[in-house]
Amino acid sequence: GDRQKRLAHLGQQLVRRVLDETNGNRKEAARRMNICYKALLNKLKRWTSTSTPQNDLEEAMVKAEAA
């Protein structure tokens, strides 16, 4: 319920902070958070599922990196 939503929000904040610290370097961000790169890409893809021009661009970048 509510607790799960708060934890998910904190997780997103952490990922955003680490991505900011690594200047958007997803591989370095995953290493710093001690998660596998693919897991980070999946999280980013899930969080950007709403279609906006910015999210479409981010999703295209995630797909390109995963290829």
Side-chain angles (χ1 to χ4, degrees):
D2 202 34
R3 181 177 178 201
Q4 210 167 9
K5 286 181 184 179
R6 284 187 305 211
L7 286 173
H9 181 70
L10 286 173
Q12 287 182 12
Q13 285 182 319
L14 172 66
V15 169
R16 286 189 184 109
R17 184 179 305 147
V18 176
L19 282 170
D20 282 344
E21 290 173 1
T22 62
N23 297 311
N25 184 326
R26 293 178 177 108
K27 288 186 179 183
E28 176 62 17
R31 189 191 67 74
R32 287 187 187 187
M33 292 184 287
N34 201 29
I35 62 172
C36 88
Y37 177 64
K38 287 265 188 185
L40 177 59
L41 293 183
N42 287 335
K43 286 178 189 296
L44 293 171
K45 186 176 180 181
R46 203 168 46 243
W47 295 338
T48 59
S49 60
T50 346
S51 187
T52 66
Q54 179 63 35
N55 287 345
D56 291 345
L57 174 62
E58 289 174 5
E59 188 171 337
M61 291 171 62
V62 166
K63 286 179 181 173
E65 285 185 22

